[in-house]
Amino acid sequence: MDLQKLLNEMTVDEKLAQMTQLVPQIITDKGEGAVTGPMRNFGITRKVTSKIGTLLGGTGAEQLKFLQDFHMDEDPHKIPLLFMADIIHGYRTLYPVPLGLGASFDTELAEQCCAMAAKEAVAGGLHVTFAPMVDLVRDARWGRCMETTGEDPYLNSKMSAAMVRGFQGENLEKDKIAACVKHFAAYGACDGGRDYDAVELGDRTLREFYMPAYKVAVDEGVELVMTSFNTLNGVPSSANKYLVDDILRKEWGFDGIVISDFNAFYEMISHGIAANEKECAKKALDATSDIEMMSTCYVKFGKQLLEEGEITEKQLDDAVMRILKLKEKLGLFDDPYRGASVEEEKRLHLCKEHRDLARVAAEKSAVLLKNDGVLPLDENVKKIAVIGPAADHGMIGGWFCCGTVAEAVSALDGIKNVAKNADVKLAFGSTFDPNEKPEAVADRIAEAKKLAAECDAVVLCIGEEMDMSGESHTRARISISDAQAELVKEVCSVNKNTVTVIYCGRPLALEKINDISPATVIFWHPGTEGGNALANLLFGRVNFQGKLPMTFPYEGQSPYFYNHLPTGRPNGNGGYCLRYLDTPYEPVYPFGYGMSYTTFEISSPTLSSNEMTEDGEITVFVNVKNTGNVHGIETVQLYINDVTASVSRPVKEMKGYQKVALAPGEEKTVAFKITLDALKFHTFSGEYKAEKGKFKVFVSNRSDVKEFVEFKLV
Ligand code: NOJ
């Protein structure tokens, strides 16, 4: 297709419509799409919608083929629609929410999961996913922790690259979809963890913590970038020239599509930086925003702005060309349906291979926090109780796209599948309501307690309902509810053989139950195969290997993150130092923490040299030994601290990790290379470089390690 010729033939109205994205129901009353924001009467006519460039939220081969036909009949230049949707943790077969995937520390797994989602989505007629979401998050109150891989820039970057590769493949092959990294930038740093609230960040923090995972996606060839709702230092991202034009386009060389978030152009008015939709359109185009999602400033005012000389046709052409190029790359001009196929949907969706991968992903994501000898449970147990609001519930997670709870395996079903000869009993105990008081469910708790007393083992399934995390689902208090805590207390008082399984989309404050529960597992929102994965883990058919990708704080500590700066008055020196009066200073569980059915011994680190030159490298060695009785996988983590620099540096920063598989008694040497890149930062004078001096090196299986060795950069 000669795209330049096509562009030359297009009218200004056609160009502006290409730059607009709406939901299918605005185009035809036969269309449906996921709506995740305000819907207004946009006051636009069929003349506009018939030329529209992209739709969001529609799914399924049948619907999307219908919409493509409907559109192609009307579009003056027969430019196919681009269909986009949120495929965040699977299309129909769902894997754990991204925070769970982060806990696996397994980038190959993340890539495979995204590749599976892409395949299913292609069959369902989609072309673009609004993923990966790689916003770094430090505040557990933010609902969208669920969609990120956590608080560490190194882990987030590894996951970001893997996810882009999984969705897009090498070059958008036929079973791949285009990825859209989001939300650019620093959306996760909202004040108070309140979704949509303002973000104020210094340039150093922005660049060192928040930017790397987006940058890596760009380097990996991501096709789209979504700008975030929030203001960053006073400017909403869709209008933020510094962010989009200077950094993303010019500094990083991104030449793909920049799309706004839902209604974000229009929201410039509420942000107080535009008086009307015309000003929104001008500011967005000046910031090189190509597609306006779910508002209509471009189509309504673009032409007028052009006639008044406020914008140029070149600006429009650049944007439209980027959109046409993606359509061409996806092959839509040759085949507007692309892979949409009802037969392929039937063949692929929820097929055994996909369910198996979803199960493995849930197994690898689970984090064992505590085990006072309860686990693994005996498969030959006679009578087992599965108790709690998540016990008989397919906890697929909040961005379920085309997946359904009915197609998912609950904990109850999973346990029945494995403990085939056991008498498996169910009790609800409490609801998910975070404000529920024990008195309100006293009868249910009593019933659960009675059942627990009669059973040989109990699996208590509590935590957050799927819709208690995610967009706009901020929580001020992240504790286990009083009713759930009472349930744990009562059940554990009569049955010591109890494991508490916590379903959540964010870190929860566990102090109410941590000492009471003899065994505790973080299971996130695990997806379609959750129940089977859980049973495999609890009965010891597979081992735990997940590590926390975010700190699990006490209530009131958030934001709390391991890679913070030191202070002049570190904790541990009595009063007038870093501390809380009413909770311990340390979190309940640190970043990087997670147990296994075996134990590992990690030796003190040794260095290949105590000095490193700028063009040299140092190798850090540790021996890792499986000192238990079963095979296990340990995630060995490398942290560095720059002791003295021109600006204060984080107390620890993860600079590498390796997953090591060991048979009982087996021992391996793990080596990490440290090069200059790992030591670079934005110095006081604004350069990105390493400064000479002392560095501490820590190697462990958790971030709160104290022991270190030192070297000097000379
Ligand atoms: C709003 C969300 O912030 C974004 O992540 C999502 O992709 C869009 N809605 C479209 O559904």
Side-chain angles (χ1 to χ4, degrees):
M1 167 67 67
D2 184 344
L3 297 182
Q4 192 56 52
K5 181 164 172 284
L6 173 61
L7 186 67
N8 294 344
E9 286 169 5
M10 288 168 73
T11 63
V12 169
D13 285 336
E14 279 180 86
K15 290 177 187 173
L16 293 165
Q18 277 300 315
M19 295 164 67
T20 303
Q21 177 170 80
L22 297 170
V23 282
Q25 47 270 54
I26 294 180
I27 312 299
T28 156
D29 54 12
K30 292 212 184 96
E32 266 176 44
V35 177
T36 60
M39 282 276 276
R40 289 190 303 280
N41 180 355
F42 293 115
I44 47 170
T45 60
R46 295 248 358 98
K47 238 176 109 188
V48 174
T49 58
S50 63
K51 306 185 193 79
I52 210 98
T54 73
L55 291 181
L56 89 143
T59 49
E62 201 178 308
Q63 188 201 12
L64 297 185
K65 276 178 156 179
F66 161 78
L67 286 168
Q68 195 67 287
D69 286 342
F70 184 88
H71 169 80
M72 293 293 266
D73 275 352
E74 299 193 319
D75 187 85
H77 282 98
K78 306 252 167 282
I79 304 174
L81 280 166
L82 201 51
F83 294 122
M84 310 195 188
D86 291 281
I87 303 153
I88 309 295
H89 53 102
Y91 178 83
R92 177 87 179 264
T93 314
L94 301 170
Y95 44 88
V97 294
L99 193 60
L101 224 43
S104 75
F105 277 61
D106 188 333
T107 48
E108 211 175 301
L109 174 77
E111 186 173 335
Q112 287 167 353
C113 284
C114 293
M116 164 176 91
K119 259 191 200 161
E120 292 196 358
V122 166
L126 281 157
H127 309 136
V128 175
T129 173
F130 297 126
M133 194 272 224
V134 301
D135 302 314
L136 184 128
V137 56
R138 294 170 156 183
D139 195 328
R141 294 171 298 180
W142 192 45
R144 303 194 82 169
C145 294
M146 178 271 261
E147 297 167 64
T148 87
T149 50
E151 74 187 36
D152 184 71
Y154 183 87
L155 178 63
N156 286 0
S157 298
K158 293 280 171 207
M159 286 289 172
S160 171
M163 290 179 181
V164 172
R165 275 197 305 275
F167 287 127
Q168 295 194 165
E170 285 294 309
N171 200 20
L172 283 184
E173 296 85 355
K174 291 234 169 316
D175 59 349
K176 299 292 177 186
I177 52 176
C180 173
V181 70
K182 66 188 188 186
H183 305 84
F184 190 70
Y187 178 47
C190 46
D191 279 344
R194 289 178 297 272
D195 206 10
Y196 316 121
D197 215 332
V199 174
E200 290 284 325
L201 280 180
D203 219 44
R204 181 174 302 112
T205 306
L206 175 69
R207 283 179 179 270
E208 284 176 19
F209 289 92
Y210 291 87
M211 288 304 214
Y214 310 115
K215 164 83 163 59
V216 159
V218 169
D219 292 344
E220 201 60 48
V222 74
E223 295 288 348
L224 300 92
V225 173
M226 185 188 293
T227 41
S228 52
F229 287 124
N230 56 282
T231 51
L232 175 61
N233 302 330
V235 187
S237 301
S238 307
N240 198 328
K241 276 186 83 159
Y242 168 66
L243 206 56
V244 183
D245 200 23
D246 295 353
I247 299 184
L248 178 66
R249 297 239 191 250
K250 300 206 171 93
E251 204 179 305
W252 297 356
F254 178 67
D255 59 1
I257 296 170
V258 172
I259 182 167
S260 81
D261 205 342
F262 198 107
N263 194 42
F265 278 24
Y266 189 78
E267 289 171 20
M268 285 181 209
I269 301 173
S270 323
H271 280 301
I273 66 141
N276 49 41
E277 289 175 82
K278 188 174 161 193
E279 281 185 28
C280 297
K282 161 130 180 81
K283 292 209 168 188
L285 194 63
D286 282 347
T288 74
S289 295
D290 301 315
I291 299 181
E292 170 177 13
M293 184 197 290
M294 283 305 278
S295 55
T296 46
C297 309
Y298 276 164
V299 279
K300 283 200 207 132
F301 294 100
K303 204 165 178 182
Q304 195 181 338
L305 285 166
L306 193 62
E307 283 159 8
E308 291 168 359
E310 290 286 328
I311 59 170
T312 64
E313 189 138 7
K314 161 107 179 38
Q315 284 178 286
L316 296 185
D317 286 354
D318 287 349
V320 175
M321 188 50 111
R322 289 192 274 263
I323 298 162
L324 295 179
K325 273 188 179 158
L326 182 59
K327 294 186 176 187
E328 165 86 339
K329 204 164 173 184
L330 285 161
L332 293 178
F333 287 105
D334 298 326
D335 174 10
Y337 299 150
R338 206 169 176 252
S341 153
V342 174
E343 292 71 46
E344 280 298 280
E345 284 181 326
K346 283 194 190 126
R347 190 177 73 81
L348 283 171
H349 293 176
L350 298 167
C351 66
K352 179 168 183 322
E353 191 192 328
H354 289 189
R355 277 191 173 268
D356 283 350
L357 179 59
R359 194 198 64 245
V360 169
E363 289 165 357
K364 290 185 169 184
S365 301
V367 184
L368 178 62
L369 294 182
K370 187 177 170 189
N371 184 16
D372 288 350
V374 174
L375 295 176
L377 300 174
D378 182 355
E379 278 182 27
N380 298 316
V381 65
K382 286 211 178 62
K383 193 167 175 186
I384 181 165
V386 190
I387 296 175
D392 189 22
H393 191 319
M395 298 291 284
I396 50 180
W399 270 121
F400 43 78
C401 196
C402 296
T404 64
V405 169
E407 290 159 353
V409 183
S410 68
L412 184 73
D413 290 340
I415 287 165
K416 283 184 181 165
N417 289 343
V418 171
K420 287 209 180 342
N421 301 320
D423 183 9
V424 185
K425 296 285 186 197
L426 171 71
F428 290 101
S430 74
T431 72
F432 286 109
D433 179 356
N435 296 317
E436 189 167 69
K437 295 288 164 216
E439 306 81 74
V441 277
D443 291 357
R444 284 175 163 209
I445 294 177
E447 181 202 344
K449 184 177 179 180
K450 184 165 173 290
L451 176 65
E454 293 162 4
C455 287
D456 306 310
V458 181
V459 179
L460 255 179
C461 302
I462 61 165
E464 287 190 315
E465 167 65 303
M466 287 148 29
D467 65 3
M468 282 167 65
S469 56
E471 185 181 348
S472 142
H473 286 70
T474 303
R475 294 182 63 180
R477 291 183 295 271
I478 55 167
S479 281
I480 298 291
S481 71
D482 287 346
Q484 290 189 6
E486 183 72 9
L487 177 65
V488 176
K489 196 178 109 211
E490 290 300 307
V491 166
C492 292
S493 73
V494 293
N495 194 324
K496 296 282 168 239
N497 217 13
T498 295
V499 49
T500 308
V501 180
I502 297 174
Y503 292 75
C504 54
R506 56 152 65 75
L508 294 177
L510 300 180
E511 63 267 28
K512 283 187 204 159
I513 62 156
N514 195 40
D515 291 340
I516 299 168
S517 168
T520 309
V521 173
I522 298 296
F523 203 41
W524 316 110
H525 290 147
T528 309
E529 280 287 313
N532 286 335
L534 183 69
N536 283 346
L537 289 159
L538 298 186
F539 290 103
R541 289 189 175 189
V542 295
N543 202 343
F544 286 91
Q545 57 173 286
K547 300 282 180 187
L548 295 179
M550 277 185 85
T551 304
F552 268 50
Y554 282 82
E555 172 89 25
Q557 286 184 330
S558 284
Y560 198 113
F561 44 99
Y562 85 91
N563 42 11
H564 58 86
L565 296 185
T567 79
R569 301 204 175 173
N571 172 255
N573 300 315
Y576 298 98
C577 71
L578 211 57
R579 63 172 177 159
Y580 294 102
L581 291 181
D582 45 6
T583 71
Y585 171 71
E586 300 293 343
V588 185
Y589 290 103
F591 173 87
Y593 172 81
M595 296 169 68
S596 156
Y597 283 143
T598 189
T599 44
F600 299 97
E601 223 173 71
I602 301 181
S603 68
S604 302
T606 56
L607 296 172
S608 57
S609 164
N610 293 328
E611 279 191 359
M612 179 176 139
T613 54
E614 291 203 338
D615 55 357
E617 61 180 37
I618 276 191
T619 310
V620 190
F621 300 98
V622 286
N623 286 330
V624 187
K625 185 170 182 189
N626 180 342
T627 49
N629 300 323
V630 291
H631 183 277
I633 294 182
E634 183 58 299
T635 304
V636 184
Q637 303 153 40
L638 167 75
Y639 297 92
I640 286 185
N641 164 239
D642 188 341
V643 181
T644 313
S646 56
V647 293
S648 208
R649 301 299 301 149
V651 293
K652 264 175 215 145
E653 292 177 276
M654 191 163 73
K655 293 292 177 181
Y657 65 83
Q658 290 179 39
K659 291 184 77 107
V660 189
L662 294 170
E666 197 186 358
E667 186 168 353
K668 276 185 191 160
T669 299
V670 175
F672 292 98
K673 276 197 179 10
I674 300 176
T675 60
L676 200 68
D677 274 346
L679 313 180
K680 287 184 180 164
F681 65 99
H682 295 88
T683 65
F684 180 73
S685 56
E687 291 162 283
Y688 184 65
K689 64 170 199 179
E691 288 178 345
K692 293 188 173 150
K694 253 194 218 166
F695 291 84
K696 288 182 184 168
V697 179
F698 309 78
V699 182
S700 181
N701 50 9
R702 49 195 289 168
S703 64
D704 58 354
V705 49
K706 302 269 182 288
E707 188 190 2
F708 60 87
V709 283
E710 275 184 348
F711 72 90
K712 256 188 176 169
L713 179 67
V714 291

